[in-house]
Amino acid sequence: MDIADFRYITNERVRDGNVSKTPVRFIDRERAAKVRNFHRSFAEYEPTPLHSLNALSRKLNVGGIWIKDESHRFGLNAFKVLGGSYAVGKYLAERLKLDISELDFGKLQSREIKERLGELTFVTATDGNHGRGIAWAANRLGQKSVVFMPKGSSAARLQNIRNEGAEASITELNYDDTVKMAARYAADHHGVLVQDSAWEGYEDIPVWIMQGYCTLIHEAMEQMQGEGKGCPTHVFLQAGVGSFAASVLGYFVAEFGEERPVTIIVEPSEAACFYKSAVKNDGEPHAVTGDLRTIMAGLACGEPSTVAWEILRDYADMYISCPDAVSAKAMRMLGNPLPGDPRVVSGESGAVGLGVLSLIREKQSLQEVAQRLQLNEESRVLIISTEGDTDPEGYRDIVWGGKHPSF
């Protein structure tokens, strides 16, 4: 790999007051609190750690680096269950003609509610983490789940989904075609499709998933403010279909407006649909096709979610496309920290934001990027490690075996 494989483009429209922008309607302070209260009703709920990497901050010459460690979420080693479980809860509330604030997770598990709902089957496509979250939620509600995975998916992730009671299989299709397969299966079998990607005619459930993700950023802001640090100045957000990144960015727009952090969207080179769309610069989302080969399985998505696209188009400050080596380096950095910093086990899709930050601060050839982002010795940087070692063998190949060496 070469540094030339690292590509970026700034969003010239984002701070232009003359450009009309999509209003952020899916989240606000009241709704974020309601979402978090729903998650608090789970017996497994507790805020995931927010780690301060003080030694690494000094080495990279920034004011601070904070890592939100989602490997601790509900014992599932990834954040995705937040969106899936909330979307399932919202769907059931709609069927019961109740507001979700009237339904905690314990009530949803009751015999009375199960009898009112009858037998349901939740269907989804996933690289692993989202499907495991859907299977986990369905299993605890006494319902069925069917999960499809794209070709090349990890056998360990498949088994984790099956361990939650799902009927799960790996297809011979890429991610986007696997989503279409799941949608057809749900339609043919009267199932409930719970997908984080949105398209015309399918937007309610993806929006509920995005709302569900807001629990983690609501926690992170509470944790940073508890340290007396306030809001970060910069945040790096990884994007697959874009729902996670749009959720966090949408929260910042709703909460802080023009005072929100500078936001950088990060994607793998082989599945950089948001970067490609920004380069096209016609205001429309553009897909990446092909096998979408990358170690960042959770980001191997070729088609932007329509709902996410509008948020990331209008409010993100920069889009970066990077090779797998960037994520692999950060996995090793987090797993083998500088003295005094905590060790964080971060998977391929979770670590890439830190990898990008380290390159920008260490490579002279990328100083223009730092200048455009006003990333300097006073910057307070938030990175969200969205998963742990959800593929343990793959993790060891990288961290122990040196797979995908750094530049």
Side-chain angles (χ1 to χ4, degrees):
M1 290 294 180
D2 187 89
I3 195 68
D5 294 311
F6 183 101
R7 298 182 174 90
Y8 68 92
I9 183 171
T10 52
N11 187 359
E12 301 299 337
R13 60 183 279 143
V14 67
R15 305 284 173 171
D16 186 346
N18 295 317
V19 175
S20 61
K21 298 181 175 65
T22 302
V24 176
R25 295 193 176 97
F26 73 91
I27 199 67
D28 53 34
R29 182 176 297 185
E30 180 181 350
R31 191 174 282 115
K34 183 184 289 189
V35 171
R36 191 172 174 192
N37 284 338
F38 176 74
H39 286 134
R40 279 191 173 115
S41 72
F42 292 36
E44 297 86 353
Y45 176 78
E46 60 179 299
T48 54
L50 183 72
H51 302 294
S52 298
L53 304 185
N54 297 325
L56 185 60
S57 300
R58 291 190 293 271
K59 180 173 177 56
L60 298 182
N61 193 25
V62 293
I65 299 172
W66 285 265
I67 302 284
K68 182 70 167 161
D69 183 2
E70 288 295 301
S71 70
H72 296 268
R73 185 65 68 183
F74 293 178
L76 296 177
N77 211 9
F79 83 106
K80 285 279 193 174
V81 65
L82 290 174
S85 63
Y86 185 73
V88 167
K90 277 285 289 183
Y91 174 82
L92 298 180
E94 296 275 318
R95 282 188 63 125
L96 295 165
K97 296 180 170 53
L98 297 171
D99 188 89
I100 195 166
S101 62
E102 302 175 64
L103 285 173
D104 61 28
F105 200 65
K107 188 176 292 186
L108 285 173
Q109 292 175 298
S110 69
R111 179 179 297 179
E112 174 195 354
I113 293 295
K114 176 66 185 300
E115 289 175 351
R116 288 174 64 183
L117 291 168
E119 295 287 344
L120 299 171
T121 300
F122 295 99
V123 182
T124 196
T126 182
D127 67 275
N129 297 335
H130 171 70
R132 188 180 184 187
I134 296 298
W136 180 90
N139 189 35
R140 276 151 184 75
L141 295 172
Q143 302 290 0
K144 297 178 181 178
S145 58
V146 176
V147 179
F148 298 97
M149 302 181 73
K151 65 180 177 180
S153 293
S154 158
R157 292 183 178 125
L158 172 65
Q159 190 57 51
N160 283 336
I161 293 169
R162 288 175 172 170
N163 290 345
E164 299 297 340
E167 177 187 323
S169 59
I170 297 175
T171 73
E172 290 300 316
L173 306 171
N174 69 14
Y175 175 80
D176 300 293
D177 288 337
T178 303
V179 170
K180 291 168 185 165
M181 172 186 275
R184 288 194 299 270
Y185 181 94
D188 293 343
H189 294 81
H190 307 288
V192 182
L193 183 69
V194 186
Q195 205 63 50
D196 58 353
S197 186
W199 53 86
E200 187 176 350
Y202 183 76
E203 294 183 337
D204 287 348
I205 286 177
V207 167
W208 297 339
I209 290 174
M210 290 168 65
Q211 290 170 341
Y213 293 156
C214 286
T215 285
L216 72 85
I217 193 61
H218 193 264
E219 290 175 0
M221 290 302 94
E222 185 177 84
Q223 289 164 321
M224 287 193 74
Q225 289 161 6
E227 293 183 23
K229 302 300 182 183
C231 183
T233 61
H234 295 74
V235 59
F236 288 78
L237 298 173
Q238 52 271 55
V241 299
S243 293
F244 159 72
S247 172
V248 175
L249 179 51
Y251 177 95
F252 280 130
V253 172
E255 186 72 8
F256 299 105
E258 291 300 314
E259 302 303 314
R260 66 185 180 274
V262 173
T263 302
I264 304 96
I265 305 304
V266 180
E267 300 174 279
S269 299
E270 300 302 314
C273 51
F274 287 94
Y275 172 82
K276 177 180 179 179
S277 300
V279 170
K280 290 281 188 181
N281 196 31
D282 60 5
E284 299 297 323
H286 292 272
V288 173
T289 58
D291 288 341
L292 312 175
R293 292 180 181 173
T294 171
I295 61 171
M296 294 173 262
L299 310 181
C301 310
E303 297 183 16
S305 166
T306 54
V307 174
W309 162 246
E310 293 180 346
I311 300 297
L312 300 186
R313 176 196 63 195
D314 291 349
Y315 299 105
D317 293 277
M318 182 176 283
Y319 311 88
I320 290 177
S321 162
C322 67
D324 287 348
V326 175
S327 175
K329 175 190 176 184
M331 291 167 67
R332 292 188 279 268
M333 292 169 66
L334 289 166
N336 302 273
L338 294 171
D341 281 353
R343 177 173 180 261
V344 178
V345 176
S346 183
E348 300 87 345
S349 299
V352 64
L354 180 66
V356 169
L357 171 64
S358 69
L359 275 184
I360 293 173
R361 295 304 288 162
E362 292 176 332
K363 296 292 183 182
Q364 188 61 37
S365 59
L366 296 178
Q367 288 314 294
E368 180 187 355
V369 180
Q371 291 168 7
R372 290 192 183 192
L373 294 173
Q374 298 182 302
L375 186 63
N376 54 43
E377 64 277 4
E378 296 181 357
S379 299
R380 302 184 304 278
V381 182
L382 175 65
I383 292 165
I384 299 166
S385 176
T386 48
E387 65 174 358
D389 55 343
T390 54
D391 178 8
E393 184 176 339
Y395 180 87
R396 285 192 295 272
D397 283 346
I398 293 167
V399 177
W400 290 9
K403 192 176 180 181
H404 301 285
S406 303
F407 295 120

